[in-house]
Amino acid sequence: MHWGVHTWKGSSGLSTALPRRGIPDATVARLPDYLRVLTAMSARGIPSTSSEQLAAAVGVRSAKVRKDLSHLGNHGVRGVGYDVANLSMKIAAELGQAREWPVVIVGMGNLGRALAAYGGLASRGLRVIGLFDHDDAIAGQRVAGLPIRPMADLDSVARDADVIGVIATPGPSAKEAADALVAAGVTSILNFAPGSLAVPDEVELRKVDLATELQILAVHKQQRYAEVSRDVPLAGVAP
Amino acid sequence: MHWGVHTWKGSSGLSTALPRRGIPDATVARLPDYLRVLTAMSARGIPSTSSEQLAAAVGVRSAKVRKDLSHLGNHGVRGVGYDVANLSMKIAAELGQAREWPVVIVGMGNLGRALAAYGGLASRGLRVIGLFDHDDAIAGQRVAGLPIRPMADLDSVARDADVIGVIATPGPSAKEAADALVAAGVTSILNFAPGSLAVPDEVELRKVDLATELQILAVHKQQRYAEVSRDVPLAGVAP
DNA sequence: TAGATTGTTAATCGATTAACAATC
DNA sequence: TAGATTGTTAATCGATTAACAATC
């Protein structure tokens, strides 16, 4: 078995060179936003909408909305707009809600508990079916209606269920969590712990670092200061 | 005052057309990874390293490491590599650790508590100085050594302190939190709540959705199935 | 000098955007 | 038909990558 630290991306990594189907990740990331807005419109009895309205509600440009939706096929009507109900169904289908995806969370600290209780999952066809922690002392505690289970139970829950695994442990425990998930046959893993993990090539591993965006904000803030101070100092000096 | 839902990006939005200084966001996002590896090397007494070694440790290609580091200036030595201590300092400086950035968190549910306790912040020059929740009943509780304060205290803590604001509330409370932050003069906000927020143009608002990457994993999983089933069905049929 | 490794170039790729022809 | 809005095109931008000249 060949192992690497690289993330499985797109359709590369599979045997045959495939015809590059698949919606861009950037579009996939926005689809839930559109769906949320459409659902709200539907609840208010609004039958149809336009790319301009969707764009305004989500906070992007209308051209991006049209480009995004065009990846789902052509469901709009020129001069008219999009049917709210129809478009909602199309997005929901694309987001995998045709099939509900089971999720297990490893690591039941604050972050794991936050994820288990996160409302945004169910609306995206993601169902949390198992919570695990290597501290057997907290096994049995209930979080969001599910019991925390010992790691020993992971294999029986994940095996054959084709789950997505989420690592929400502190950094040092992440490797243990990843190994346990891989050993249980999990092939899709999302890692919230800092640091990089090695998984077999056939496992898709993605990583979210809660501090990254905060970091970027801090650097931009610093740059704003640097820019202002570079603008000012020569004032008064000969041009 | 002009309001919009758009995010402040890069140096656009400021008065003058600036000479496009600033390290790419994608690079900024990776700098903490390099720093973490360098710190570990330093602790083990390793004096110098190479782009290949850093790349292997972080899980990227060496060309990317060299490109990233070149944005910091030329601190490597051809034929030799990078000095661990020197490079660590350069990265730390760039990450804003010359100045420590104060952070306030609004919303002290599980996610807010997870962020308050998140070890990755301090190592990046981010210091949590205030925790807030609109439920006054939990005011006074201590999380990670800090007391939870009522929203009424936000202005006195944030005003003039030039803080970065983090919204960790449930979706419906996010607007209230954003308005309070803006009213207190905060100009950098990270939103973990679902939905979009409107802020004045001079405020940089970034958003993290915990479910987005999970969503992408689910869609990729679905695509893998679709690909496999498209590969199989014609087997046995004339070529 | 010979070997090693950087810093940079140029090709490529994916995402964004404005503009507009197509078409209801 | 006139007006509205989509779907697509082409330009642009930022990020990735391989390759290699520069240089220790």
PDB file of all heavy atoms in Angstrom, chain D residues 7-18:
ATOM      1  P    DG D   7     -29.877  29.584 -17.334  1.00  0.00           P
ATOM      2  OP1  DG D   7     -30.683  28.380 -17.597  1.00  0.00           O
ATOM      3  OP2  DG D   7     -29.250  29.799 -16.019  1.00  0.00           O
ATOM      4  O5'  DG D   7     -28.741  29.691 -18.451  1.00  0.00           O
ATOM      5  C5'  DG D   7     -29.089  29.387 -19.796  1.00  0.00           C
ATOM      6  C4'  DG D   7     -27.888  29.612 -20.688  1.00  0.00           C
ATOM      7  O4'  DG D   7     -27.531  31.027 -20.658  1.00  0.00           O
ATOM      8  C3'  DG D   7     -26.630  28.850 -20.272  1.00  0.00           C
ATOM      9  O3'  DG D   7     -26.091  28.315 -21.480  1.00  0.00           O
ATOM     10  C2'  DG D   7     -25.737  29.918 -19.636  1.00  0.00           C
ATOM     11  C1'  DG D   7     -26.137  31.168 -20.410  1.00  0.00           C
ATOM     12  N9   DG D   7     -25.990  32.431 -19.698  1.00  0.00           N
ATOM     13  C8   DG D   7     -26.263  32.694 -18.370  1.00  0.00           C
ATOM     14  N7   DG D   7     -26.053  33.940 -18.025  1.00  0.00           N
ATOM     15  C5   DG D   7     -25.614  34.548 -19.204  1.00  0.00           C
ATOM     16  C6   DG D   7     -25.229  35.896 -19.447  1.00  0.00           C
ATOM     17  O6   DG D   7     -25.198  36.842 -18.655  1.00  0.00           O
ATOM     18  N1   DG D   7     -24.846  36.083 -20.786  1.00  0.00           N
ATOM     19  C2   DG D   7     -24.851  35.100 -21.735  1.00  0.00           C
ATOM     20  N2   DG D   7     -24.461  35.463 -22.956  1.00  0.00           N
ATOM     21  N3   DG D   7     -25.201  33.830 -21.522  1.00  0.00           N
ATOM     22  C4   DG D   7     -25.569  33.631 -20.237  1.00  0.00           C
ATOM     23  P    DT D   8     -24.709  27.539 -21.533  1.00  0.00           P
ATOM     24  OP1  DT D   8     -24.852  26.481 -22.535  1.00  0.00           O
ATOM     25  OP2  DT D   8     -24.289  27.232 -20.149  1.00  0.00           O
ATOM     26  O5'  DT D   8     -23.722  28.639 -22.131  1.00  0.00           O
ATOM     27  C5'  DT D   8     -24.162  29.372 -23.271  1.00  0.00           C
ATOM     28  C4'  DT D   8     -23.041  30.256 -23.753  1.00  0.00           C
ATOM     29  O4'  DT D   8     -23.019  31.498 -22.993  1.00  0.00           O
ATOM     30  C3'  DT D   8     -21.638  29.676 -23.619  1.00  0.00           C
ATOM     31  O3'  DT D   8     -20.917  30.079 -24.766  1.00  0.00           O
ATOM     32  C2'  DT D   8     -21.099  30.327 -22.358  1.00  0.00           C
ATOM     33  C1'  DT D   8     -21.728  31.711 -22.477  1.00  0.00           C
ATOM     34  N1   DT D   8     -21.876  32.460 -21.204  1.00  0.00           N
ATOM     35  C2   DT D   8     -21.678  33.832 -21.221  1.00  0.00           C
ATOM     36  O2   DT D   8     -21.392  34.446 -22.226  1.00  0.00           O
ATOM     37  N3   DT D   8     -21.836  34.451 -20.016  1.00  0.00           N
ATOM     38  C4   DT D   8     -22.179  33.854 -18.806  1.00  0.00           C
ATOM     39  O4   DT D   8     -22.295  34.516 -17.780  1.00  0.00           O
ATOM     40  C5   DT D   8     -22.380  32.417 -18.855  1.00  0.00           C
ATOM     41  C7   DT D   8     -22.740  31.664 -17.617  1.00  0.00           C
ATOM     42  C6   DT D   8     -22.214  31.803 -20.046  1.00  0.00           C
ATOM     43  P    DT D   9     -19.582  29.345 -25.171  1.00  0.00           P
ATOM     44  OP1  DT D   9     -19.886  28.528 -26.334  1.00  0.00           O
ATOM     45  OP2  DT D   9     -18.923  28.758 -23.982  1.00  0.00           O
ATOM     46  O5'  DT D   9     -18.721  30.603 -25.639  1.00  0.00           O
ATOM     47  C5'  DT D   9     -19.390  31.750 -26.168  1.00  0.00           C
ATOM     48  C4'  DT D   9     -18.557  32.976 -25.903  1.00  0.00           C
ATOM     49  O4'  DT D   9     -18.861  33.507 -24.590  1.00  0.00           O
ATOM     50  C3'  DT D   9     -17.042  32.725 -25.919  1.00  0.00           C
ATOM     51  O3'  DT D   9     -16.447  33.617 -26.843  1.00  0.00           O
ATOM     52  C2'  DT D   9     -16.588  32.984 -24.490  1.00  0.00           C
ATOM     53  C1'  DT D   9     -17.668  33.918 -23.964  1.00  0.00           C
ATOM     54  N1   DT D   9     -17.921  33.844 -22.500  1.00  0.00           N
ATOM     55  C2   DT D   9     -18.042  35.025 -21.803  1.00  0.00           C
ATOM     56  O2   DT D   9     -17.943  36.116 -22.325  1.00  0.00           O
ATOM     57  N3   DT D   9     -18.306  34.868 -20.463  1.00  0.00           N
ATOM     58  C4   DT D   9     -18.441  33.683 -19.769  1.00  0.00           C
ATOM     59  O4   DT D   9     -18.677  33.675 -18.568  1.00  0.00           O
ATOM     60  C5   DT D   9     -18.292  32.480 -20.562  1.00  0.00           C
ATOM     61  C7   DT D   9     -18.416  31.140 -19.907  1.00  0.00           C
ATOM     62  C6   DT D   9     -18.040  32.621 -21.876  1.00  0.00           C
ATOM     63  P    DA D  10     -14.976  33.414 -27.358  1.00  0.00           P
ATOM     64  OP1  DA D  10     -14.963  33.774 -28.789  1.00  0.00           O
ATOM     65  OP2  DA D  10     -14.494  32.108 -26.898  1.00  0.00           O
ATOM     66  O5'  DA D  10     -14.185  34.539 -26.574  1.00  0.00           O
ATOM     67  C5'  DA D  10     -14.779  35.835 -26.444  1.00  0.00           C
ATOM     68  C4'  DA D  10     -13.975  36.633 -25.456  1.00  0.00           C
ATOM     69  O4'  DA D  10     -14.417  36.339 -24.106  1.00  0.00           O
ATOM     70  C3'  DA D  10     -12.474  36.343 -25.465  1.00  0.00           C
ATOM     71  O3'  DA D  10     -11.797  37.561 -25.216  1.00  0.00           O
ATOM     72  C2'  DA D  10     -12.298  35.346 -24.323  1.00  0.00           C
ATOM     73  C1'  DA D  10     -13.305  35.920 -23.328  1.00  0.00           C
ATOM     74  N9   DA D  10     -13.788  34.986 -22.322  1.00  0.00           N
ATOM     75  C8   DA D  10     -13.871  33.624 -22.395  1.00  0.00           C
ATOM     76  N7   DA D  10     -14.351  33.050 -21.313  1.00  0.00           N
ATOM     77  C5   DA D  10     -14.614  34.127 -20.469  1.00  0.00           C
ATOM     78  C6   DA D  10     -15.132  34.214 -19.163  1.00  0.00           C
ATOM     79  N6   DA D  10     -15.509  33.132 -18.462  1.00  0.00           N
ATOM     80  N1   DA D  10     -15.264  35.435 -18.621  1.00  0.00           N
ATOM     81  C2   DA D  10     -14.883  36.500 -19.340  1.00  0.00           C
ATOM     82  N3   DA D  10     -14.375  36.553 -20.568  1.00  0.00           N
ATOM     83  C4   DA D  10     -14.271  35.321 -21.082  1.00  0.00           C
ATOM     84  P    DA D  11     -10.241  37.665 -25.313  1.00  0.00           P
ATOM     85  OP1  DA D  11      -9.955  38.444 -26.515  1.00  0.00           O
ATOM     86  OP2  DA D  11      -9.622  36.346 -25.109  1.00  0.00           O
ATOM     87  O5'  DA D  11      -9.928  38.576 -24.051  1.00  0.00           O
ATOM     88  C5'  DA D  11     -10.848  39.611 -23.698  1.00  0.00           C
ATOM     89  C4'  DA D  11     -10.623  40.004 -22.262  1.00  0.00           C
ATOM     90  O4'  DA D  11     -11.256  39.033 -21.383  1.00  0.00           O
ATOM     91  C3'  DA D  11      -9.159  40.059 -21.843  1.00  0.00           C
ATOM     92  O3'  DA D  11      -8.938  41.227 -21.057  1.00  0.00           O
ATOM     93  C2'  DA D  11      -8.955  38.776 -21.051  1.00  0.00           C
ATOM     94  C1'  DA D  11     -10.325  38.579 -20.425  1.00  0.00           C
ATOM     95  N9   DA D  11     -10.649  37.186 -20.123  1.00  0.00           N
ATOM     96  C8   DA D  11     -10.443  36.086 -20.905  1.00  0.00           C
ATOM     97  N7   DA D  11     -10.841  34.950 -20.361  1.00  0.00           N
ATOM     98  C5   DA D  11     -11.349  35.348 -19.136  1.00  0.00           C
ATOM     99  C6   DA D  11     -11.927  34.622 -18.077  1.00  0.00           C
ATOM    100  N6   DA D  11     -12.098  33.293 -18.099  1.00  0.00           N
ATOM    101  N1   DA D  11     -12.327  35.314 -16.986  1.00  0.00           N
ATOM    102  C2   DA D  11     -12.153  36.652 -16.982  1.00  0.00           C
ATOM    103  N3   DA D  11     -11.621  37.444 -17.905  1.00  0.00           N
ATOM    104  C4   DA D  11     -11.237  36.714 -18.973  1.00  0.00           C
ATOM    105  P    DT D  12      -7.487  41.554 -20.517  1.00  0.00           P
ATOM    106  OP1  DT D  12      -7.361  43.016 -20.481  1.00  0.00           O
ATOM    107  OP2  DT D  12      -6.496  40.703 -21.234  1.00  0.00           O
ATOM    108  O5'  DT D  12      -7.568  41.050 -19.015  1.00  0.00           O
ATOM    109  C5'  DT D  12      -8.662  41.491 -18.202  1.00  0.00           C
ATOM    110  C4'  DT D  12      -8.572  40.770 -16.873  1.00  0.00           C
ATOM    111  O4'  DT D  12      -8.959  39.388 -17.052  1.00  0.00           O
ATOM    112  C3'  DT D  12      -7.169  40.741 -16.264  1.00  0.00           C
ATOM    113  O3'  DT D  12      -7.231  41.404 -15.022  1.00  0.00           O
ATOM    114  C2'  DT D  12      -6.833  39.264 -16.136  1.00  0.00           C
ATOM    115  C1'  DT D  12      -8.218  38.635 -16.133  1.00  0.00           C
ATOM    116  N1   DT D  12      -8.285  37.219 -16.572  1.00  0.00           N
ATOM    117  C2   DT D  12      -8.929  36.317 -15.752  1.00  0.00           C
ATOM    118  O2   DT D  12      -9.428  36.624 -14.684  1.00  0.00           O
ATOM    119  N3   DT D  12      -8.980  35.036 -16.222  1.00  0.00           N
ATOM    120  C4   DT D  12      -8.449  34.570 -17.417  1.00  0.00           C
ATOM    121  O4   DT D  12      -8.565  33.396 -17.731  1.00  0.00           O
ATOM    122  C5   DT D  12      -7.787  35.564 -18.231  1.00  0.00           C
ATOM    123  C7   DT D  12      -7.178  35.157 -19.534  1.00  0.00           C
ATOM    124  C6   DT D  12      -7.735  36.824 -17.771  1.00  0.00           C
ATOM    125  P    DC D  13      -5.915  41.875 -14.266  1.00  0.00           P
ATOM    126  OP1  DC D  13      -6.144  43.249 -13.801  1.00  0.00           O
ATOM    127  OP2  DC D  13      -4.736  41.536 -15.083  1.00  0.00           O
ATOM    128  O5'  DC D  13      -5.942  40.911 -13.001  1.00  0.00           O
ATOM    129  C5'  DC D  13      -7.194  40.622 -12.375  1.00  0.00           C
ATOM    130  C4'  DC D  13      -7.048  39.358 -11.567  1.00  0.00           C
ATOM    131  O4'  DC D  13      -7.225  38.209 -12.419  1.00  0.00           O
ATOM    132  C3'  DC D  13      -5.661  39.199 -10.931  1.00  0.00           C
ATOM    133  O3'  DC D  13      -5.812  39.212  -9.524  1.00  0.00           O
ATOM    134  C2'  DC D  13      -5.146  37.868 -11.458  1.00  0.00           C
ATOM    135  C1'  DC D  13      -6.417  37.168 -11.900  1.00  0.00           C
ATOM    136  N1   DC D  13      -6.220  36.174 -12.979  1.00  0.00           N
ATOM    137  C2   DC D  13      -6.765  34.889 -12.823  1.00  0.00           C
ATOM    138  O2   DC D  13      -7.391  34.633 -11.785  1.00  0.00           O
ATOM    139  N3   DC D  13      -6.583  33.969 -13.798  1.00  0.00           N
ATOM    140  C4   DC D  13      -5.895  34.299 -14.902  1.00  0.00           C
ATOM    141  N4   DC D  13      -5.758  33.361 -15.825  1.00  0.00           N
ATOM    142  C5   DC D  13      -5.325  35.596 -15.077  1.00  0.00           C
ATOM    143  C6   DC D  13      -5.516  36.506 -14.096  1.00  0.00           C
ATOM    144  P    DG D  14      -4.515  39.324  -8.604  1.00  0.00           P
ATOM    145  OP1  DG D  14      -4.809  40.329  -7.567  1.00  0.00           O
ATOM    146  OP2  DG D  14      -3.313  39.441  -9.460  1.00  0.00           O
ATOM    147  O5'  DG D  14      -4.479  37.891  -7.912  1.00  0.00           O
ATOM    148  C5'  DG D  14      -5.667  37.340  -7.399  1.00  0.00           C
ATOM    149  C4'  DG D  14      -5.442  35.873  -7.136  1.00  0.00           C
ATOM    150  O4'  DG D  14      -5.395  35.154  -8.393  1.00  0.00           O
ATOM    151  C3'  DG D  14      -4.120  35.564  -6.416  1.00  0.00           C
ATOM    152  O3'  DG D  14      -4.412  34.638  -5.389  1.00  0.00           O
ATOM    153  C2'  DG D  14      -3.237  34.997  -7.518  1.00  0.00           C
ATOM    154  C1'  DG D  14      -4.259  34.318  -8.416  1.00  0.00           C
ATOM    155  N9   DG D  14      -3.877  34.154  -9.813  1.00  0.00           N
ATOM    156  C8   DG D  14      -3.309  35.082 -10.647  1.00  0.00           C
ATOM    157  N7   DG D  14      -3.095  34.625 -11.860  1.00  0.00           N
ATOM    158  C5   DG D  14      -3.556  33.329 -11.812  1.00  0.00           C
ATOM    159  C6   DG D  14      -3.585  32.324 -12.824  1.00  0.00           C
ATOM    160  O6   DG D  14      -3.208  32.396 -13.990  1.00  0.00           O
ATOM    161  N1   DG D  14      -4.130  31.133 -12.348  1.00  0.00           N
ATOM    162  C2   DG D  14      -4.587  30.938 -11.075  1.00  0.00           C
ATOM    163  N2   DG D  14      -5.087  29.733 -10.789  1.00  0.00           N
ATOM    164  N3   DG D  14      -4.567  31.858 -10.117  1.00  0.00           N
ATOM    165  C4   DG D  14      -4.036  33.018 -10.561  1.00  0.00           C
ATOM    166  P    DA D  15      -3.248  34.037  -4.466  1.00  0.00           P
ATOM    167  OP1  DA D  15      -3.780  33.925  -3.097  1.00  0.00           O
ATOM    168  OP2  DA D  15      -2.001  34.780  -4.736  1.00  0.00           O
ATOM    169  O5'  DA D  15      -3.065  32.564  -5.057  1.00  0.00           O
ATOM    170  C5'  DA D  15      -4.214  31.730  -5.168  1.00  0.00           C
ATOM    171  C4'  DA D  15      -3.778  30.365  -5.649  1.00  0.00           C
ATOM    172  O4'  DA D  15      -3.494  30.421  -7.065  1.00  0.00           O
ATOM    173  C3'  DA D  15      -2.523  29.817  -4.972  1.00  0.00           C
ATOM    174  O3'  DA D  15      -2.767  28.456  -4.640  1.00  0.00           O
ATOM    175  C2'  DA D  15      -1.438  29.988  -6.025  1.00  0.00           C
ATOM    176  C1'  DA D  15      -2.225  29.855  -7.322  1.00  0.00           C
ATOM    177  N9   DA D  15      -1.673  30.572  -8.461  1.00  0.00           N
ATOM    178  C8   DA D  15      -1.234  31.866  -8.491  1.00  0.00           C
ATOM    179  N7   DA D  15      -0.807  32.259  -9.669  1.00  0.00           N
ATOM    180  C5   DA D  15      -0.978  31.130 -10.468  1.00  0.00           C
ATOM    181  C6   DA D  15      -0.709  30.883 -11.827  1.00  0.00           C
ATOM    182  N6   DA D  15      -0.196  31.797 -12.660  1.00  0.00           N
ATOM    183  N1   DA D  15      -1.006  29.655 -12.307  1.00  0.00           N
ATOM    184  C2   DA D  15      -1.530  28.746 -11.474  1.00  0.00           C
ATOM    185  N3   DA D  15      -1.817  28.859 -10.186  1.00  0.00           N
ATOM    186  C4   DA D  15      -1.515  30.095  -9.738  1.00  0.00           C
ATOM    187  P    DT D  16      -1.618  27.510  -4.051  1.00  0.00           P
ATOM    188  OP1  DT D  16      -2.308  26.583  -3.136  1.00  0.00           O
ATOM    189  OP2  DT D  16      -0.481  28.338  -3.602  1.00  0.00           O
ATOM    190  O5'  DT D  16      -1.145  26.682  -5.330  1.00  0.00           O
ATOM    191  C5'  DT D  16      -2.093  25.881  -6.010  1.00  0.00           C
ATOM    192  C4'  DT D  16      -1.405  25.179  -7.167  1.00  0.00           C
ATOM    193  O4'  DT D  16      -0.952  26.150  -8.126  1.00  0.00           O
ATOM    194  C3'  DT D  16      -0.182  24.344  -6.774  1.00  0.00           C
ATOM    195  O3'  DT D  16      -0.395  23.040  -7.300  1.00  0.00           O
ATOM    196  C2'  DT D  16       0.988  25.073  -7.441  1.00  0.00           C
ATOM    197  C1'  DT D  16       0.315  25.751  -8.614  1.00  0.00           C
ATOM    198  N1   DT D  16       0.938  26.986  -9.151  1.00  0.00           N
ATOM    199  C2   DT D  16       1.222  27.035 -10.495  1.00  0.00           C
ATOM    200  O2   DT D  16       1.001  26.113 -11.264  1.00  0.00           O
ATOM    201  N3   DT D  16       1.768  28.225 -10.913  1.00  0.00           N
ATOM    202  C4   DT D  16       2.051  29.348 -10.142  1.00  0.00           C
ATOM    203  O4   DT D  16       2.536  30.348 -10.637  1.00  0.00           O
ATOM    204  C5   DT D  16       1.728  29.218  -8.738  1.00  0.00           C
ATOM    205  C7   DT D  16       1.992  30.364  -7.814  1.00  0.00           C
ATOM    206  C6   DT D  16       1.196  28.064  -8.318  1.00  0.00           C
ATOM    207  P    DT D  17       0.494  21.802  -6.847  1.00  0.00           P
ATOM    208  OP1  DT D  17      -0.331  20.591  -6.975  1.00  0.00           O
ATOM    209  OP2  DT D  17       1.165  22.137  -5.577  1.00  0.00           O
ATOM    210  O5'  DT D  17       1.607  21.748  -7.976  1.00  0.00           O
ATOM    211  C5'  DT D  17       1.190  21.547  -9.313  1.00  0.00           C
ATOM    212  C4'  DT D  17       2.357  21.752 -10.239  1.00  0.00           C
ATOM    213  O4'  DT D  17       2.622  23.155 -10.389  1.00  0.00           O
ATOM    214  C3'  DT D  17       3.670  21.134  -9.746  1.00  0.00           C
ATOM    215  O3'  DT D  17       3.873  19.948 -10.502  1.00  0.00           O
ATOM    216  C2'  DT D  17       4.730  22.209 -10.007  1.00  0.00           C
ATOM    217  C1'  DT D  17       3.977  23.292 -10.753  1.00  0.00           C
ATOM    218  N1   DT D  17       4.344  24.696 -10.428  1.00  0.00           N
ATOM    219  C2   DT D  17       4.655  25.540 -11.467  1.00  0.00           C
ATOM    220  O2   DT D  17       4.657  25.188 -12.626  1.00  0.00           O
ATOM    221  N3   DT D  17       4.976  26.827 -11.075  1.00  0.00           N
ATOM    222  C4   DT D  17       5.004  27.326  -9.789  1.00  0.00           C
ATOM    223  O4   DT D  17       5.299  28.494  -9.563  1.00  0.00           O
ATOM    224  C5   DT D  17       4.666  26.375  -8.750  1.00  0.00           C
ATOM    225  C7   DT D  17       4.666  26.814  -7.320  1.00  0.00           C
ATOM    226  C6   DT D  17       4.355  25.120  -9.117  1.00  0.00           C
ATOM    227  P    DA D  18       5.157  18.997 -10.308  1.00  0.00           P
ATOM    228  OP1  DA D  18       4.672  17.619 -10.466  1.00  0.00           O
ATOM    229  OP2  DA D  18       5.872  19.410  -9.089  1.00  0.00           O
ATOM    230  O5'  DA D  18       6.055  19.380 -11.571  1.00  0.00           O
ATOM    231  C5'  DA D  18       5.409  19.698 -12.796  1.00  0.00           C
ATOM    232  C4'  DA D  18       6.428  20.121 -13.819  1.00  0.00           C
ATOM    233  O4'  DA D  18       6.722  21.534 -13.648  1.00  0.00           O
ATOM    234  C3'  DA D  18       7.766  19.402 -13.753  1.00  0.00           C
ATOM    235  O3'  DA D  18       8.231  19.253 -15.085  1.00  0.00           O
ATOM    236  C2'  DA D  18       8.634  20.348 -12.913  1.00  0.00           C
ATOM    237  C1'  DA D  18       8.095  21.717 -13.332  1.00  0.00           C
ATOM    238  N9   DA D  18       8.140  22.762 -12.312  1.00  0.00           N
ATOM    239  C8   DA D  18       7.971  22.612 -10.962  1.00  0.00           C
ATOM    240  N7   DA D  18       8.043  23.759 -10.302  1.00  0.00           N
ATOM    241  C5   DA D  18       8.266  24.701 -11.286  1.00  0.00           C
ATOM    242  C6   DA D  18       8.435  26.100 -11.246  1.00  0.00           C
ATOM    243  N6   DA D  18       8.390  26.819 -10.120  1.00  0.00           N
ATOM    244  N1   DA D  18       8.638  26.740 -12.416  1.00  0.00           N
ATOM    245  C2   DA D  18       8.664  26.028 -13.546  1.00  0.00           C
ATOM    246  N3   DA D  18       8.518  24.713 -13.716  1.00  0.00           N
ATOM    247  C4   DA D  18       8.326  24.100 -12.533  1.00  0.00           C
TER     248       DA D  18
END
